[in-house]
C-alpha cells in the first residue's frame, strides 16, 4: 500500500461499441451492441444507450435483441480496436515505464515509477491530462481511477464511469469498502459470493468482522487469507510491465449442434489452424495442445497432449488436436469446440517439424485446406460471411461505407466516414463487382499516426479473432 494515490487504472468506456459509434456517425447517441450475431452469439460490449434497456456484456444475443430490438447489432472488428488500443497504450507509456495492460481497453500504470506523480494533486492532474489526450487522439473517452493500490484504483475507475476520474486517498480504503458487496473484491465470483452469502456475509465489512480464521475455514488457506487482507483494504501487488501469456486458444459455438463425426473433426482442424496463427502472431510457440468440447447437455470436456518440445507448426497442432478428439465421445451432438496451446515459449524445436511431416501423411491436403478455410467466418454462408453487419466496404462510385445488413441476395450499405455527417443508405446485389470489402478508416483525431496504426493492424494475421 502506498501513501500517495500514484497507481492509475484506466478503463475505456464501452470500448468496442464506442469505437463503432465514433466510426459510424449515424450510430452516435443510439444503442449499439457488438458481439456474435448467430443464435448462440453473446454480447461483447453494449453502448450506454443499449445498457438502458438492460443489455450487458456476456448476455446471450437473442436476449439482447428482445430487450433492445431497435439497436444496431454489429460483428466485432478486432484489428480496428487493436489499432485504437495501441494508440492508448502509447499514451500510457509516456507516463511511466510500468504499464500493465489487462486487455485492449484496460491497464494499470505506476505513475511514481515514471515520475509523473508523487502525491494526490499531481496524480489527479496527470489523470485529467491523460483523459484529455485520449479524447484528442482517439475521439473516445476513458475513466480513470487513482489510489494507493491496484485493487482500489480499479474500484475507483468503476465508480468514475462513464468519462470521469475518481481519486481515493490512501487511508480511506476500509471506510470505502465496508458497505460494498463482497463481489467487488477480486476473486469473488458468483460461486464464492453465494458461498459467503450462505455463511451470512454479503458486505466487505462482514468479511473483515468474520476474521481470517473463519474465512480460511470457509474458503481454504490461500483464498481465505487473501480475501481477509483485501477486506482490510490491503493490496501490495506491484504494477508489472510484462504480463506473459500462459496460453493461446480459440473456440467456436455452433448455431446447430454438430453430430457428424467428419464435420466435427474438420472443425477441430480448422480451429487448430486459427490457433496457430494466433500463436505465431503473439511470437510464441507451445508444447501442450488442449482440446475443449462442450456437448449437447452443456457438459464440457478438456483433453490435452504434451509434446516433446514447443512448436508453432500447424500440422503438429492440427494432428495432436485430432488425436485428442478420437478419445472424446460426441454422441448426442457438440455445441462448442475449442483448441488451445499452453506451455508457451519464444522458440520452436526444429525436430518437431520433421515429426510433423512424418505424422501428417495424407491427413491434410491442399484441397482440404481450401475447403475448410472459408468456414472461418462467423456466418454460415458466403453472403453473410462477406457482408456481416458492421464490416467496412468500399464502392467504386459511392466510396467508403459499412454494411447495415444483407439477405435474399442483397446487401444494404450506409455510406459515411468517421468525420462525415450521417450518410445515405443504398442497396446492392451481393455480387456487385463495384462493391468490395475494405480496411477500417482511422477515427477523427487519430491523424496520420492513427491511419498508420489501423493499416498496420489490419495487415496482421487474423490471430484467431
Amino acid at each position: 500500500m502506498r501513501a500517495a494515490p500514484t497507481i492509475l487504472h484506466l478503463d475505456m468506456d464501452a470500448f468496442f461499441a464506442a469505437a463503432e459509434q465514433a466510426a459510424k456517425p449515424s450510430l452516435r447517441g443510439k444503442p449499439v451492441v457488438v458481439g456474435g450475431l448467430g443464435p448462440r452469439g453473446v454480447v461483447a460490449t453494449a453502448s450506454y444507450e443499449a445498457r438502458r434497456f438492460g443489455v450487458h456484456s456476456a448476455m446471450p444475443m437473442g436476449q439482447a435483441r428482445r430487450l433492445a430490438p431497435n439497436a444496431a447489432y454489429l460483428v466485432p472488428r478486432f484489428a480496428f480496436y487493436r489499432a485504437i488500443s495501441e494508440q492508448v497504450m502509447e499514451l500510457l507509456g509516456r507516463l511511466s515505464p510500468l504499464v500493465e495492460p489487462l486487455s485492449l481497453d484496460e491497464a494499470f500504470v505506476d505513475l511514481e515509477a515514471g515520475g509523473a506523480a508523487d502525491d494526490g494533486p499531481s496524480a489527479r492532474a496527470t489523470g485529467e491530462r491523460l483523459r484529455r489526450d485520449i479524447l484528442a487522439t482517439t475521439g473516445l473517452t476513458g475513466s480513470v481511477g487513482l489510489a494507493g493500490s491496484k485493487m482500489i484504483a480499479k474500484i475507483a475507475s468503476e465508480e468514475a464511469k462513464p468519462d470521469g476520474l475518481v481519486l481515493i486517498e490512501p487511508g480511506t480504503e476500509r471506510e470505502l469498502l465496508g458497505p460494498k458487496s463482497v463481489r467487488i473484491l477480486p476473486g469473488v465470483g458468483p460461486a464464492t459470493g453465494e458461498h459467503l452469502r450462505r455463511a451470512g456475509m454479503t458486505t466487505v465489512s462482514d468479511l473483515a468482522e468474520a476474521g481470517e480464521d473463519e474465512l480460511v475455514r470457509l474458503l481454504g488457506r490461500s483464498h481465505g487469507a487473501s480475501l481477509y487482507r483485501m477486506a482490510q483494504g490491503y493490496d501490495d501487488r506491484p504494477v508489472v510491465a510484462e504480463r506473459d501469456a500462459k496460453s493461446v486458444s480459440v473456440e467456436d459455438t455452433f448455431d446447430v449442434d454438430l453430430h457428424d463425426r467428419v464435420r466435427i473433426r474438420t472443425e477441430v482442424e480448422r480451429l487448430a489452424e486459427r490457433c496457430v496463427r494466433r500463436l505465431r502472431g503473439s511470437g510464441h510457440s507451445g508444447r501442450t495442445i488442449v482440446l475443449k468440447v462442450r456437448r449437447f447437455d452443456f457438459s464440457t470436456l478438456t483433453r490435452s497432449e504434451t509434446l516433446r518440445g514447443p512448436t508453432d507448426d500447424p500440422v503438429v497442432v492440427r494432428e495432436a488436436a485430432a488425436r485428442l478428439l478420437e478419445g472424446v465421445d460426441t454422441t448426442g451432438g457438440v455445441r462448442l469446440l475449442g483448441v488451445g496451446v499452453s506451455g508457451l515459449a519464444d522458440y520452436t524445436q526444429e525436430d518437431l517439424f520433421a515429426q510433423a511431416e512424418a505424422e501428417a501423411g495424407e491427413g491434410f491436403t491442399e484441397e482440404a485446406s481450401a475447403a475448410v478455410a472459408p468456414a472461418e467466418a462467423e456466418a454460415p454462408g458466403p453472403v453473410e460471411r462477406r457482408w456481416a453487419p458492421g464490416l467496412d466496404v468500399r464502392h467504386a462510385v459511392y466510396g467508403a461505407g459499412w454494411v447495415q445488413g444483407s439477405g435474399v441476395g442483397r446487401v444494404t450499405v450506409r455510406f459515411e466516414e468517421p468525420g462525415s455527417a450521417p450518410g445515405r443508405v443504398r442497396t446492392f446485389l451481393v455480387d456487385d463487382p463495384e462493391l468490395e470489402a475494405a480496411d477500417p478508416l482511422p477515427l477523427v483525431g487519430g491523424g496520420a499516426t492513427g491511419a498508420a496504426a489501423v493499416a498496420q493492424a489490419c495487415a496482421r494475421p487474423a490471430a484467431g479473432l
Side-chain angles (χ1 to χ4, degrees):
M1 300 292 294
R2 297 187 177 184
T6 54
I7 292 182
L8 179 149
H9 181 259
L10 170 72
D11 195 353
M12 298 294 288
D13 299 322
F15 182 49
F16 294 175
E20 296 295 350
Q21 289 176 316
K24 301 173 170 63
S26 60
L27 298 183
R28 292 170 190 168
K30 298 181 180 179
V32 173
V33 181
V34 179
L37 302 187
R40 292 178 175 174
V42 297
V43 175
T45 308
S47 70
Y48 285 99
E49 295 85 356
R51 294 180 191 187
R52 297 191 188 108
F53 294 92
V55 180
H56 57 77
S57 61
M59 171 181 285
M61 192 60 76
Q63 182 180 356
R65 288 184 184 276
R66 290 191 293 273
L67 292 172
N70 296 320
Y73 289 86
L74 310 175
V75 296
R77 299 187 295 158
F78 287 106
F80 178 57
Y81 309 145
R82 185 167 57 243
I84 301 171
S85 174
E86 288 174 358
Q87 292 178 278
V88 172
M89 295 303 165
E90 181 182 351
L91 292 174
L92 298 182
R94 297 176 187 175
L95 301 179
S96 173
L98 293 183
V99 176
E100 183 177 339
L102 303 179
S103 62
L104 289 177
D105 63 337
E106 186 180 2
F108 287 109
V109 184
D110 187 334
L111 299 180
E112 189 176 280
D118 56 11
D119 58 14
S122 61
R124 181 180 294 276
T126 299
E128 293 290 7
R129 184 172 66 252
L130 173 65
R131 293 177 57 241
R132 291 194 299 270
D133 289 345
I134 290 173
L135 181 62
T137 301
T138 69
L140 305 180
T141 64
S143 296
V144 168
L146 293 158
S149 70
K150 290 167 74 171
M151 177 180 71
I152 303 300
K154 185 173 174 63
I155 291 172
S157 70
E158 187 64 30
E159 292 193 350
K161 283 188 167 294
D163 189 22
L165 182 149
V166 168
L167 185 151
I168 297 175
E169 290 287 355
T172 65
E173 292 89 357
R174 288 194 64 175
E175 180 182 357
L176 167 79
L177 291 172
K180 296 187 180 296
S181 165
V182 295
R183 291 289 304 278
I184 201 172
L185 298 179
V188 181
T192 301
E194 176 61 18
H195 190 55
L196 292 170
R197 187 193 66 78
R198 291 174 182 168
M201 304 176 201
T202 58
T203 66
V204 176
S205 62
D206 292 337
L207 301 180
E209 292 169 4
E212 183 174 358
D213 290 344
E214 178 64 9
L215 293 179
V216 167
R217 185 186 70 80
L218 286 172
L219 304 174
R221 168 59 57 186
S222 177
H223 196 183
S226 173
L227 198 59
Y228 180 70
R229 283 181 58 81
M230 287 189 291
Q232 305 291 321
Y234 294 123
D235 176 23
D236 55 4
R237 294 173 298 161
V239 176
V240 181
E242 297 294 333
R243 289 172 55 87
D244 292 334
K246 296 181 180 179
S247 65
V248 170
S249 63
V250 295
E251 62 183 43
D252 273 349
T253 300
F254 303 100
D255 293 347
V256 178
D257 290 349
L258 303 184
H259 294 271
D260 182 81
R261 188 74 177 185
V262 174
R263 169 74 189 283
I264 293 172
R265 177 177 172 123
T266 298
E267 292 294 339
V268 167
E269 292 175 338
R270 177 178 65 83
L271 288 165
E273 295 276 342
R274 284 175 54 192
C275 185
V276 168
R277 287 202 299 275
R278 188 169 189 175
L279 184 70
R280 288 178 170 179
S282 70
H284 290 92
S285 59
R287 61 180 301 167
T288 299
I289 315 303
V290 181
L291 175 71
K292 177 180 178 181
V293 180
R294 180 166 297 151
R295 299 188 291 191
F296 70 100
D297 59 357
F298 287 88
S299 61
T300 302
L301 304 176
T302 57
R303 300 289 185 268
S304 64
E305 175 181 324
T306 300
L307 307 173
R308 294 196 304 270
T311 185
D312 66 353
D313 185 271
V315 177
V316 174
V317 176
R318 190 171 62 233
E319 292 300 319
R323 285 194 298 273
L324 293 170
L325 178 64
E326 293 302 315
V328 176
D329 179 11
T330 58
T331 304
V334 169
R335 178 183 181 89
L336 174 148
L337 290 169
V339 174
V341 179
S342 61
L344 301 189
D346 57 3
Y347 64 93
T348 58
Q349 198 157 303
E350 294 296 331
D351 65 337
L352 285 176
F353 298 136
Q355 170 189 322
E357 293 178 4
E359 292 178 350
E362 56 186 32
F364 206 80
T365 65
E366 290 185 8
E367 290 78 12
S369 178
V372 171
E376 277 199 36
E378 181 175 314
V383 172
E384 289 77 10
R385 279 203 303 271
R386 185 179 178 190
W387 307 126
L391 295 186
D392 298 272
V393 296
R394 179 168 289 277
H395 191 274
V397 175
Y398 301 108
W402 58 278
V403 176
Q404 281 201 329
S406 63
V408 294
R410 287 174 170 77
V411 56
T412 300
V413 177
R414 184 179 288 275
F415 290 98
E416 59 186 5
E417 300 181 18
S420 72
R424 297 186 62 181
V425 172
R426 297 183 182 275
T427 299
F428 308 90
L429 295 175
V430 295
D431 56 357
D432 188 318
E434 295 188 311
L435 187 68
E436 61 182 6
D439 289 337
L441 296 173
L443 297 182
V444 173
T449 301
V454 169
Q456 183 180 25
C458 292
R460 295 177 187 146
L465 297 172

